[in-house]
Structure formats: C-alpha cells, structure tokens
Amino acid sequence: MTAKPNILIIMVDQLNGTLFPDGPADFLHAPNLKALAARSARFANTYTASPLCAPARASFMSGQLPSRTEVYDNAAEFTSAIPTFAHHLRAAGYYTCLSGKMHFVGPDQLHGYEERLTTDIYPADFGWTPDYRKPGERIDWWYHNLGSVTGAGVAEITNQMEYDDEVAFQAVQKLYQLSRVSTDPDRRPWCLTVSMSHPHDPYVARKRYWDLYENCQALDPEFGFIPYEQQDAHSKRLYDASDYASFSITRAQVRRSRRGYFANISYLDDKIGELLDVLERTRMAEDTIVILCSDHGDMLGERGLWFKMCFYEGSARVPLMIAGRDVRPGLIETPVSNLDVCPTLCDLAGIDIGEIMPWTDGQSLVPLTRGEMRAEPVLIEYAAEGSNAPLVCVREGRFKFVHCELDPPQLFDLKADPMERTNLAADPAHAGTVADFMDKVRARWDMARFDAAVRESQARRWVVYPALRNGAYFPWDFQPLQKASERYMRNHMDLNVLEESKRFPRGE
C-alpha cells in the first residue's frame, strides 16, 4: 500500500447544502450518497467562497477568495500563477486528472491537472462578462431567466445529460486504467476529480428518476414567495436580472422544477454509485479518500428566488463529505468553507503548503475531524451579475452578516431563525453584534479597492473579448485528444504483453 492515499473528488453543480443536514435528506432517493455519508465526516454547514460557478471553483481549487484570485464572475481569467491543489499534489508525485467541468476561464485549461478527459460544458472566454458601468442591464443571451422553471419536466436526453453521461463514463474508464497499475510497487498515487453538471438547472430529468418523486412531500418551498417590493435590495436586483417581470410562475411550475431537481440528485446518485462500485471491485477503495462537494447551491424557489448569486442558505451552503482512512466519520456542525478543501487535501496527503499559506484563505479540516475547535469565521464574496458593487458575508457562530456598500446590512441568527426570515441588523438589541461584524468587514476588506478592481477587470475584458472575436478566432475551450493508434491492439504492440497488462486482476 502506497504511503500517500489516492483521492477521488466527486464534484456536482448547484447542489443545495440545506438538503444535506447530515448526509442526504431522508426524502431523497440517494442510496449511494447515504451509504457514503455513513462512513464520512459530514460537514453540515459548509459554504461556497462565492455563489457562482467560475469564482467558486477557482476558490475551491486554490483556497483563495475571489478578491485574491481575481475570478470575480463567470468570465474572469483564472491566472496560471495561482497554485491549486492539483499543483500541490502533482508536485508531491501524484497523477492528477479531471473528468468534467471546472469552468476555467482563459487559455490555461488544466491548472495543475496532468490530464483532462472531457471538454468543459461552459465557454472558456470572456463573453459572459458583467458590466458595473451599466447597473441593472440584462445581457439577455446569457443571463439566467426563469425559462428553467417554466420548462421543467421530463426528457430522456438533454445537453447536461449528454455531458454528465460522458463525464461519468470517462471517469469509470480512468479508474479501470488506474487499477491496472494499482499493485505495481512504483506506481504513483492519483487524484481524480469527477465534476458533473447536475443538478444545475434546467430542471429536466429522465422519467425513471422523475417518477421517484411523484408523492414527494418537499415539492413546495418552505419559506414561500416574497413580492418584489418586499424583497431586500440585492434580491430585487436578482429578480430584475432573471427577468422575473416577464414570467408568471405558477405553483405547479415551482413543484415541477423542484421535482426535476430532486430527480437529478437521484440521477447523480446512480453515477456516483458506478464510481464507488468500480473502486470496490478493483480493490482500490481502502486506499482512496473520497470527497463529495458542490460549487454552490440553488434557492429552488425559496423567497421567490432561483439559482444562486446570493448569500441565503439555499444558494451559499453546500454539501461536503469526506471518507477514507485517517478520517473519522461523524457529523460536524462547525461552519466551514470550500476554501478549506485545498489545505485539507494537502494535509491528508502529507504535503506542507506553509510557503503559500499567508496567501491562502482556507485551513485544513483534519483537526475538526479529530474534535479540535476552529476559531476563524467563514468568508464569502460576490461580485458578478445581479450585483452593482461587491457583496461580502461573514458566517461565524450562530450569525451570518452581509455587507454591501450600496445596501442596508443584513444579520441573521441561523440558530433561532434557520430560514432567515428576520433581518436583525436594524434591531437595537443587536447593534453591538452589527458593530462587531462591521469591524471584521473593515479589517478584512477595503470595499472601495475591491469595487475598483472588479470594474477594472470588467472594463479590460469588454475590450479584449470583442477584439478576439473580430477576424480569425482561436477558442480557449479545452480540446480532449486521444491517440487512437495507442488504444486497444496495434501492430507496434506485443499482443501477449498487451492482454496481460490490460487485465485486472492479473492472472491468478
């Protein structure tokens, strides 16, 4: 057995963490995820670093907030000079591989991964750049709208299903490939990231999964709808950004959307079961740490909001489970962050990243799994579509505090008010708590500088993108290449050697 564990990271997209209070909620048909939860450290209060795909994933990979990575939105370049966990692991001798989505923007589509098995599902260029110079503008061709809600239902193939079917297939093939050398004494430990697009909208599912939720008791949002004029300032902007005024959303459409979302969790569960089954059958499970995570959540109609882009629990909270040797199973309720995954992976693999820790916002979760305390609050940022200036959030103890220079503050007591029904920020009884949180905000962020950096980044990209689309166009999208002449049997190979080397277990 190698001294360093293998690592299988299973990442999904837009999975609401409130559905994972201690593993998957009881009503979810997810037997494989429930079995994984039973042997995992389960972090019930895990938060994204930013509730949007590209910034969340760059932060997940690097352990740095968007204000450090400068990946503010879904079209901001993730620079090659920022170390990711793939770099750290690869430098320590790991083989690193990605199957699926990571929404890297820019010409570097690997960021430390040695191999990538599929292209991404989303574009790698600057085309999805917001523009703070035009507050309230909807960029209709790529902004979210509520068509995902009105169009919810059943289909046997969609763009996303086609993608995730391929991602899972390629990952399974890679696990078989890795198993063939798993008993070699000089083999490299591996880290395989399998990153799927579901249950991200559109809320369309295969019938066999849809049928599982015919009598589901969770199809209606618990909080309910809030009219536009009663929403907080940022939620009003999200209503505008999603073109809410052009839609008349019915209760039936809300229920169908949530049903499709839950059905796609069951679809994912089958894919995850395939991966874990191959690990078991190829005798690699005992030596492999398994991590289940998501980039951000989905509001699923709570408060009338859909998708992500805000700091409410449905959007900002994500599942996180870690299983494997040296990880004690159990429920951990201390608030943690996706920023913590990078230092945690390095800790589990015995890698010292002390040289870059001054520029890393996460911390290892291994001490928490051993019953130790955590002192640092969880920090979240957002500076993309639906905002007109950066928003920041501090999650500490029982409280969540939200600040934006344009908006009144928000303070929620999540222990007494888990649905975030009551903003306590204007309550005189909580004036001291608000002042303490504002001190933390001012100590951590220069909001004017943050805002100026976002505006500069956007303005630059609004020059670069149209220029690169004028004339000859060379896309940055990852192009997976296979050398067909090196696959299966070819005449520069010895058939006897080939057949034996491709078999696992070897002849016994």
Side-chain angles (χ1 to χ4, degrees), residues 331-403:
L331 177 66
I332 298 168
E333 298 186 279
T334 304
V336 300
S337 172
N338 269 354
L339 294 163
D340 301 327
V341 171
C342 175
T344 300
L345 288 172
C346 292
D347 197 351
L348 290 169
I351 299 168
D352 181 5
I353 59 170
E355 290 183 354
I356 62 132
M357 280 306 288
W359 304 279
T360 301
D361 297 300
Q363 54 189 287
S364 174
L365 299 173
V366 173
L368 272 178
T369 68
R370 296 171 180 163
E372 298 179 26
M373 301 295 289
R374 176 193 179 110
E376 294 298 314
V378 169
L379 308 179
I380 318 174
E381 300 175 345
Y382 186 73
E385 60 264 26
S387 70
N388 296 333
L391 297 92
V392 298
C393 176
V394 182
R395 171 73 168 91
E396 185 173 33
R398 63 192 295 159
F399 290 107
K400 178 195 287 181
F401 181 75
V402 176
H403 172 75

Side-chain angles (χ1 to χ4, degrees), residues 35-63:
L36 177 63
R39 62 185 181 92
S40 295
R42 305 176 297 280
F43 296 88
N45 293 293
T46 306
Y47 292 87
T48 181
S50 187
L52 194 68
C53 294
R57 289 163 182 270
S59 292
F60 165 78
M61 293 287 301
S62 66

Side-chain angles (χ1 to χ4, degrees), residues 138-460:
R138 282 199 81 256
I139 307 175
D140 192 64
W141 71 273
W142 65 265
Y143 264 36
H144 257 99
N145 65 42
L146 298 182
S148 290
V149 178
T150 59
V154 175
E156 292 307 312
I157 192 65
T158 64
N159 184 55
Q160 276 177 257
M161 290 179 205
E162 180 181 351
Y163 187 75
D164 282 353
D165 286 350
E166 179 187 1
V167 168
F169 173 79
Q170 293 288 352
V172 164
Q173 296 306 303
K174 178 55 65 174
L175 287 174
Y176 280 129
Q177 194 180 104
L178 292 166
S179 75
R180 288 164 171 153
V181 297
S182 61
T183 58
D184 294 356
D186 58 347
R187 75 163 183 91
R188 297 163 67 191
W190 51 262
C191 175
L192 173 62
T193 302
V194 185
S195 184
M196 290 176 278
S197 181
H198 285 88
H200 191 294
D201 63 290
Y203 307 113
V204 178
R206 288 183 174 140
K207 187 176 186 300
R208 68 177 176 271
Y209 301 112
W210 178 270
D211 288 348
L212 294 172
Y213 294 91
E214 183 173 2
N215 299 311
C216 177
Q217 301 302 303
L219 297 184
D220 287 305
E222 185 176 346
F223 191 109
F225 179 77
I226 300 179
Y228 180 92
E229 60 275 8
Q230 295 176 24
Q231 289 281 12
D232 63 272
H234 182 60
S235 295
K236 285 180 179 177
R237 291 191 292 265
L238 294 183
Y239 267 37
D240 293 336
S242 64
D243 199 19
Y244 219 108
S246 298
F247 295 83
S248 297
I249 302 300
T250 67
R251 181 190 177 208
Q253 289 168 337
V254 170
R255 288 171 62 87
R256 286 176 67 83
S257 298
R258 289 170 65 92
R259 182 173 179 177
Y261 183 90
F262 300 151
N264 281 327
I265 294 174
S266 296
Y267 164 83
L268 284 172
D269 188 76
D270 272 0
K271 299 298 183 188
I272 291 166
E274 288 180 40
L275 297 169
L276 299 179
D277 181 56
V278 173
L279 273 186
E280 287 288 345
R281 289 187 289 103
T282 56
R283 307 174 191 175
M284 295 191 292
E286 186 178 340
D287 294 343
T288 302
I289 291 168
V290 179
I291 296 179
L292 184 282
C293 56
S294 181
D295 52 356
H296 51 74
D298 188 321
M299 290 299 293
L300 294 176
E302 300 287 357
R303 317 178 75 92
L305 296 172
W306 293 89
F307 322 125
K308 54 272 188 179
M309 302 175 283
C310 65
F311 297 141
Y312 288 119
E313 291 288 277
S315 165
R317 197 164 125 202
V318 293
L320 179 63
M321 304 192 299
I322 305 177
R325 69 182 205 223
D326 301 326
V327 179
R328 183 188 304 166
L331 177 66
I332 298 168
E333 298 186 279
T334 304
V336 300
S337 172
N338 269 354
L339 294 163
D340 301 327
V341 171
C342 175
T344 300
L345 288 172
C346 292
D347 197 351
L348 290 169
I351 299 168
D352 181 5
I353 59 170
E355 290 183 354
I356 62 132
M357 280 306 288
W359 304 279
T360 301
D361 297 300
Q363 54 189 287
S364 174
L365 299 173
V366 173
L368 272 178
T369 68
R370 296 171 180 163
E372 298 179 26
M373 301 295 289
R374 176 193 179 110
E376 294 298 314
V378 169
L379 308 179
I380 318 174
E381 300 175 345
Y382 186 73
E385 60 264 26
S387 70
N388 296 333
L391 297 92
V392 298
C393 176
V394 182
R395 171 73 168 91
E396 185 173 33
R398 63 192 295 159
F399 290 107
K400 178 195 287 181
F401 181 75
V402 176
H403 172 75
C404 176
E405 294 289 294
L406 304 180
D407 304 336
Q410 291 180 293
L411 176 70
F412 297 103
D413 181 343
L414 294 179
K415 185 173 182 180
D417 179 24
M419 293 301 297
E420 300 168 290
R421 297 177 186 274
T422 305
N423 178 11
L424 301 172
D427 184 342
H430 292 276
T433 303
V434 171
D436 288 344
F437 274 113
M438 276 308 305
D439 288 344
K440 290 181 171 69
V441 167
R442 297 301 181 202
R444 179 60 184 80
W445 289 283
D446 180 333
M447 296 301 293
R449 184 175 177 182
F450 191 179
D451 183 83
V454 173
R455 291 173 184 274
E456 177 183 349
S457 172
Q458 292 177 355
R460 287 177 171 180

